[in-house]
Amino acid sequence: MFEIHTLRLGELMIPQGESLLRDPIHAWYVTDGTTRILVDVGMPGVEETRRRLGIAATGGGPDSLVRTLGECGTDPGAIDIIIATHLHFDHAWNLDLFPQACVVVQRDEVFHAVDPVATQRIYYLRETLLSLLARKKPSGLRLIDGDVDLMPGVRLMKVPGHTPGMQVPIVSTTKGKVALVSDLGDHYRCWFPADPRATEHPMRFMTGSYLPGAIRSESERVYQDSMARVQAACDIVIPAHDFRIPSHIPAEWFEVPASTRGDLSHSKADHSKAAHSKAAE
């Protein structure tokens, strides 16, 4: 059985009209005491994010990843396997920090990183793809196709929606199975759009359904079908960009947050300038 530690690596500060979207960036350290797995590797640092994407940020980069792994009692050199849920810049930037680890990624995701849909070109950075392809198979890179049992207690599900090669690990713990859904529904409101605990704007007409994310390569039906498959295979989901996800699983365990309190995604206009300025320092 595995334990899962959430690594809070930083935030992106994205202006949206009169408000500011605060986008927390997470990765997960997964271990059974013997095998050490990292699910995603996070975003670039503040300066690189500003230079490449024109947005402010806090944290990120290799320093943040080394620090948060250290808080879990481990370090980059101890990581055996990296599961790349997908190859967007905020999930796959720091691969060079783990030359000894085997990166597991869907073959379709690599193809999409080479030739993405036009709306996602900005999210795939050239350095990430080159770093990935420079790894020597099979010790450094494992390309898979479809659902795979990676090892006892860890199953990978290919779930197109956010990207064609999106994959979600289903991890067994003492309390049940956890889906680290990353950006396949990156907030609780995507998974529970009718639940007032998940969102300040519950949509009752969507009871029993899902709200696909705005960034997607596939149709809404394909996206929702992927979400349904994942939820049927697990007991709880952990989205990538919600502030309220548990920090240590299974010690913390819930299907839906207790309330919307702590959902800091959007700041009001009078606070956004200050937050943006602070992030740019």
Side-chain angles (χ1 to χ4, degrees):
M1 294 293 177
F2 288 85
E3 291 187 356
I4 303 169
H5 300 263
T6 295
L7 309 181
R8 180 157 290 175
L9 302 176
E11 290 184 34
L12 300 176
M13 308 292 186
I14 306 171
Q16 288 194 341
E18 294 300 316
S19 66
L20 183 77
L21 174 62
R22 295 179 57 187
D23 206 25
I25 305 301
H26 296 111
W28 297 275
Y29 172 56
V30 179
T31 185
D32 61 357
T34 302
T35 303
R36 300 170 182 85
I37 302 170
L38 192 57
V39 179
D40 290 342
V41 293
M43 60 185 263
V46 171
E47 292 302 324
E48 189 74 19
T49 300
R50 183 189 297 114
R51 183 177 71 85
R52 299 294 295 274
L53 299 158
I55 56 176
T58 61
D63 290 346
S64 181
L65 196 48
V66 170
R67 176 182 55 79
T68 53
L69 283 172
E71 291 170 355
C72 298
T74 191
D75 59 77
I79 300 299
D80 303 302
I81 297 170
I82 294 171
I83 298 171
T85 62
H86 61 303
L87 298 176
H88 282 178
F89 75 95
D90 53 334
H91 294 262
W93 175 257
N94 297 298
L95 287 174
D96 286 346
L97 200 58
F98 307 90
Q100 79 296 332
C102 181
V103 179
V104 183
V105 62
Q106 291 285 333
R107 191 181 306 272
D108 280 349
E109 184 63 16
V110 177
F111 290 158
H112 190 243
V114 173
D115 184 24
V117 294
T119 54
Q120 295 199 18
R121 289 172 184 163
I122 191 174
Y123 304 127
Y124 289 101
L125 300 186
R126 180 172 179 267
E127 292 89 340
T128 296
L129 183 60
L130 292 177
S131 174
L132 186 74
L133 297 179
R135 306 178 80 90
K136 294 182 179 179
K137 297 187 296 182
S139 61
L141 177 61
R142 181 181 174 187
L143 302 181
I144 62 175
D145 297 289
D147 297 356
V148 170
D149 288 317
L150 187 62
M151 64 186 67
V154 181
R155 179 167 177 77
L156 302 180
M157 296 182 64
K158 183 182 180 183
V159 283
H162 183 61
T163 70
M166 184 80 194
Q167 65 178 353
V168 165
I170 309 294
V171 180
S172 294
T173 75
T174 55
K175 286 189 178 178
K177 293 182 178 181
V178 179
L180 299 174
V181 297
S182 186
D183 284 3
L184 183 77
D186 56 359
H187 289 77
Y188 284 109
R189 62 176 175 268
C190 299
W191 292 89
F192 309 100
D195 195 319
R197 296 171 298 175
T199 173
E200 292 182 351
H201 307 286
M203 295 178 281
R204 303 294 187 186
F205 66 92
M206 292 198 68
T207 299
S209 189
Y210 308 98
L211 182 65
I215 300 172
R216 57 182 186 250
S217 63
E218 314 303 308
S219 72
E220 186 171 318
R221 291 185 185 277
V222 169
Y223 201 126
Q224 288 193 339
D225 180 65
S226 289
M227 295 177 78
R229 286 183 60 232
V230 166
Q231 195 162 46
C234 71
D235 298 294
I236 62 172
V237 300
I238 309 295
H241 297 294
D242 200 299
F243 282 94
R244 299 167 292 169
I245 66 175
S247 60
H248 184 196
I249 307 156
E252 294 179 70
W253 186 271
F254 52 84
E255 182 181 18
V256 188
S259 71
T260 57
R261 186 176 183 179
D263 186 5
L264 307 175
S265 295
H266 286 85
S267 298
K268 299 297 184 182
D270 55 346
H271 298 302
S272 65
K273 292 181 180 179
H276 191 282
S277 176
K278 181 179 179 181
E281 290 177 357

